[in-house]
C-alpha cells in the first residue's frame, strides 16, 4: 500500500500505511518533507501503519523540525502502541504533538 | 506475553543437535537451544564451557560439524554468504570489547551499519544515531572519539550501534563485564528497556550472576559443551544440581572435579565428562 496526501479543513493529512522501515521510509520522508514545504498545517495519520522503525521515526523528526523552522503546525495522529513505545524510549513523546485520532487532530487544526 | 514462558511463543532461534569439533576435540555436544520471541535468554558457563563457540555459531561465524541453527526461520547452516548477510541485517551484536573503530567518532561508528546496508539519507542516519544515543543515555556524545569514553560508555555506544538497524535479535557478549556494579546495573536496565520497547529477543552471554538473575526470562547453563540446564530464574536459583550451582557461583573446577576423573585426565590427557550427582 502506498502512502497518500489529501487536504481537509485547511490541513494536509499525510496517511502513512503498512510498514515504514529501512526499505520504505525514504518514500515516506520525501512525502512528508514535500508536504511540510507547502507551509500548511500537517497531521500525519499513522492509523494504517503496521510497523514503523527508527528510520521512519527519524523522518517524522526531520519533518517536524522543518515545520518548526517554517512556523507551521505538525502533529501525529493515531500512533500505534508499538510506535508509542519507541517514541517514549527516545523521549520523543514529549516532543511531538500527538492526537489520539485523526478527527481529534483535525479539530485542533493540525 | 508472559516473558517468563517460551511455551506459547514462536522461536526466533531454534538450534537442534548442534555438534562441533575443533580437530578431534568435540566442543559442542548435541546442543538443543531455543530463544522465543521477545525473550531474554542468558547463557552462562565457565571457561571452556562452549558458550562463546555457541555464540559464534548463532552468529553464523562458524560452521558446525552437524545439526541445524534456525535464525528467524532460516537454517543458517544452509545459507550462502550473501543470504547470511541479508538475514543478519536483522541481528545486532554488542561485543564485549565494544569493537568500536578508534579512528571514527562515536556517531560515525553508530551509523556505520546504516551506511553499509541502506540507502538512507545522511540526515536520517544522523537523526537515527542521535535517537539511539538518547536511548542508551549518551546524548550529545556523537562527536567524541571512542578513546575519550569510559568503559561503561563504550559498552553503551556499542549497544547503540547494535540496535541502529532495529534488529529482531540482539546478542550481548558479557555486557557488564569489567564494570562497577552501578554502571553494570544501569546496563541491565537498558537491556530490559530495549526488549520492552523494541520487541527484540535478546541473547546475553555473561558470567555475572546478579545480572543474569535480573534480566533473564530463562537461563541456559552450559558445561563442557553440553547444556546442563535451561530454566527460569526461579528454577535455576532453586535447582539442586551441584554442577549448575558451582558454575553459577563460579566455584573453581578443582572444587567440583571428581578425583578419579581428575587423576585420569592428568595421566592420560583425556577430557571425559565429569559426572556429579
Amino acid at each position: 500500500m502506498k502512502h497518500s496526501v489529501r487536504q481537509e479543513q485547511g490541513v494536509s493529512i499525510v496517511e502513512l500505511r503498512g510498514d515504514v522501515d529501512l526499505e520504505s521510509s525514504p518514500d515516506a520522508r520525501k512525502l512528508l518533507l514535500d508536504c511540510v514545504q507547502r507551509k500548511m498545517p500537517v497531521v500525519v495519520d499513522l492509523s494504517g501503519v503496521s510497523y514503523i522503525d527508527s528510520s521512519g521515526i527519524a523522518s517524522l523528526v526531520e519533518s517536524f523540525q522543518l515545520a518548526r523552522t517554517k512556523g507551521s503546525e505538525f502533529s501525529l495522529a493515531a500512533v500505534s502502541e508499538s510506535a508509542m513505545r519507541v517514541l517514549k524510549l527516545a523521549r520523543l513523546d514529549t516532543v511531538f504533538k500527538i492526537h489520539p485520532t485523526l478527527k481529534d487532530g483535525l479539530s485542533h487544526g493540525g | 506475553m508472559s516473558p517468563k514462558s517460551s511455551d506459547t511463543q514462536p522461536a526466533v532461534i531454534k538450534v537442534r543437535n548442534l555438534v562441533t569439533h575443533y580437530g578431534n576435540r568435540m566442543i559442542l555436544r548435541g546442543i538443543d537451544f531455543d530463544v522465543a520471541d521477545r525473550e531474554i535468554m542468558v547463557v552462562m558457563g565457565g571457561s571452556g564451557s562452549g558458550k562463546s563457540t555457541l555464540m559464534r555459531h548463532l552468529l553464523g561465524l562458524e560452521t558446525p560439524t552437524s545439526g541445524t541453527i534456525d535464525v528467524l526461520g532460516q537454517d543458517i547452516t544452509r545459507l550462502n554468504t550473501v543470504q547470511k548477510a541479508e538475514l543478519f541485517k536483522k541481528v545486532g551484536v554488542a561485543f564485549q570489547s565494544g569493537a568500536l573503530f578508534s579512528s571514527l567518532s562515536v556517531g560515525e561508528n553508530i551509523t556505520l551499519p546504516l551506511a553499509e546496508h541502506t540507502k538512507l539519507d545522511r540526515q536520517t542516519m544522523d537523526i537515527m544515531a542521535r535517537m539511539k544515543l538518547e536511548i542508551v543515555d549518551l546524548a550529545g556524545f556523537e562527536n567524541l572519539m571512542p578513546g575519550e569514553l569510559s568503559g561503561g560508555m563504550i559498552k553503551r555506544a556499542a549497544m547503540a550501534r547494535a540496535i541502529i538497524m532495529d534488529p529482531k535479535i540482539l546478542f550481548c557478549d558479557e555486557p557488564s563485564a569489567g564494570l562497577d556494579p552501578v554502571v553494570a546495573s544501569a546496563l541491565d536496565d537498558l537491556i530490559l528497556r530495549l526488549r520492552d520497547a523494541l520487541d527484540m529477543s535478546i541473547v546475553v552471554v555473561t558470567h555475572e550472576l546478579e545480572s543474569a538473575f535480573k534480566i533473564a526470562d530463562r537461563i541456559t547453563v552450559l558445561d563442557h559443551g553440553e547444556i546442563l540446564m535451561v530454566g527460569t530464574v526461579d528454577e535455576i536459583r532453586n535447582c539442586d544440581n551441584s554442577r549448575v550451582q558451582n558454575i553459577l557461583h563460579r566455584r573453581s573446577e578443582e572444587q567440583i572435579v571428581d578425583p578419579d576423573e581428575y587423576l585420569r585426565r592428568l595421566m592420560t590427557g583425556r577430557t571425559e565428562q565429569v559426572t556429579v550427582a
Side-chain angles (χ1 to χ4, degrees):
Chain A
M1 276 194 291
K2 280 288 172 193
H3 313 309
S4 64
V5 181
R6 68 180 190 277
Q7 292 180 6
E8 279 182 35
Q9 303 170 33
V11 175
S12 287
I13 301 166
V14 181
E15 190 177 355
L16 301 183
R17 293 176 184 155
D19 287 353
V20 185
D21 56 17
L22 293 170
E23 295 295 320
S24 64
S25 69
D27 290 341
R29 173 179 180 265
K30 184 172 184 313
L31 195 69
L32 287 162
L33 291 176
D34 285 350
C35 214
V36 170
Q37 291 288 2
R38 293 178 204 149
K39 295 188 183 176
M40 286 176 70
V42 173
V43 179
V44 185
D45 179 6
L46 295 166
S47 61
V49 171
S50 45
Y51 170 73
I52 184 165
D53 72 4
S54 52
S55 69
I57 290 174
S59 299
L60 294 173
V61 170
E62 188 180 1
S63 305
F64 177 56
Q65 174 59 21
L66 180 63
R68 283 182 64 161
T69 62
K70 293 184 173 300
S72 46
E73 293 290 326
F74 184 97
S75 60
L76 310 180
V79 179
S80 69
E81 186 194 329
S82 61
M84 186 60 90
R85 276 190 270 126
V86 179
L87 291 175
K88 283 183 175 172
L89 186 65
R91 295 183 271 267
L92 286 168
D93 58 318
T94 60
V95 173
F96 286 112
K97 187 190 283 185
I98 299 173
H99 306 289
T101 63
L102 175 61
K103 189 178 172 187
D104 185 65
L106 290 174
S107 70
H108 286 84
Chain B
M1 88 175 237
S2 164
K4 296 295 178 192
S5 167
S6 66
D7 294 345
T8 58
Q9 292 297 314
V12 294
I13 295 175
K14 188 183 287 186
V15 174
R16 289 293 176 269
N17 200 22
L18 182 66
V19 174
T20 206
H21 292 82
Y22 290 162
N24 292 326
R25 192 166 173 217
M26 190 184 281
I27 304 299
L28 297 178
R29 301 163 180 264
I31 300 281
D32 290 341
F33 177 81
D34 286 355
V35 179
D37 193 23
R38 298 193 70 237
E39 179 176 39
I40 298 179
M41 172 65 86
V42 170
V43 179
M44 300 192 77
S47 297
S49 62
K51 61 186 190 301
S52 298
T53 306
L54 174 62
M55 179 107 150
R56 285 198 297 276
H57 279 79
L58 296 178
L59 292 171
L61 301 174
E62 292 191 24
T63 305
T65 307
S66 61
T68 59
I69 306 168
D70 277 19
V71 176
L72 297 171
Q74 297 189 65
D75 181 0
I76 62 173
T77 65
R78 295 174 178 274
L79 299 183
N80 63 34
T81 309
V82 174
Q83 292 168 323
K84 227 186 265 185
E86 185 62 31
L87 176 65
F88 277 91
K89 287 181 187 173
K90 298 171 192 159
V91 175
V93 187
F95 293 100
Q96 181 176 359
S97 64
L100 301 179
F101 291 101
S102 58
S103 59
L104 301 178
S105 70
V106 170
E108 288 166 338
N109 265 289
I110 292 169
T111 55
L112 203 56
L114 294 173
E116 283 185 351
H117 297 298
T118 76
K119 294 177 179 172
L120 293 174
D121 184 88
R122 184 74 234 175
Q123 175 79 329
T124 305
M125 291 188 212
D126 288 342
I127 294 171
M128 289 172 72
R130 290 185 201 112
M131 279 169 51
K132 304 300 181 182
L133 285 170
E134 285 280 348
I135 289 170
V136 302
D137 290 328
L138 279 183
F141 286 78
E142 66 262 34
N143 293 321
L144 291 189
M145 303 302 283
E148 298 175 277
L149 302 181
S150 69
M153 291 158 87
I154 286 174
K155 300 259 189 188
R156 285 173 180 279
M159 201 76 90
R161 185 175 62 186
I163 62 171
I164 191 68
M165 304 260 287
D166 295 312
K168 303 284 185 203
I169 305 172
L170 174 65
F171 287 92
C172 301
D173 187 13
E174 301 282 2
S176 47
L179 301 178
D180 73 60
V182 174
V183 177
S185 178
L187 262 173
D188 291 339
D189 291 338
L190 173 62
I191 288 171
L192 289 167
R193 284 208 313 273
L194 290 177
R195 188 277 302 279
D196 292 342
L198 302 180
D199 289 343
M200 290 188 297
S201 304
I202 303 180
V203 179
V204 179
V205 173
T206 185
H207 278 98
E208 308 294 332
L209 189 59
E210 194 175 334
S211 170
F213 283 175
K214 181 173 176 181
I215 64 176
D217 295 318
R218 290 188 301 155
I219 296 173
T220 294
V221 183
L222 275 176
D223 188 32
H224 291 92
E226 65 179 9
I227 291 179
L228 278 186
M229 185 174 179
V230 182
T232 64
V233 169
D234 284 343
E235 287 167 348
I236 294 283
R237 201 196 302 263
N238 297 324
C239 96
D240 55 8
N241 182 323
S242 59
R243 282 174 71 190
V244 170
Q245 292 305 329
N246 285 331
I247 288 166
L248 294 181
H249 295 284
R250 302 174 72 175
R251 290 173 195 139
S252 70
E253 197 81 350
E254 289 73 13
Q255 287 176 287
I256 64 170
V257 76
D258 175 275
D260 293 340
E261 160 63 20
Y262 183 42
L263 191 58
R264 181 165 55 243
R265 200 162 67 217
L266 289 177
M267 296 303 293
T268 66
R270 287 167 58 197
T271 55
E272 289 180 1
Q273 200 65 51
V274 181
T275 304
V276 176

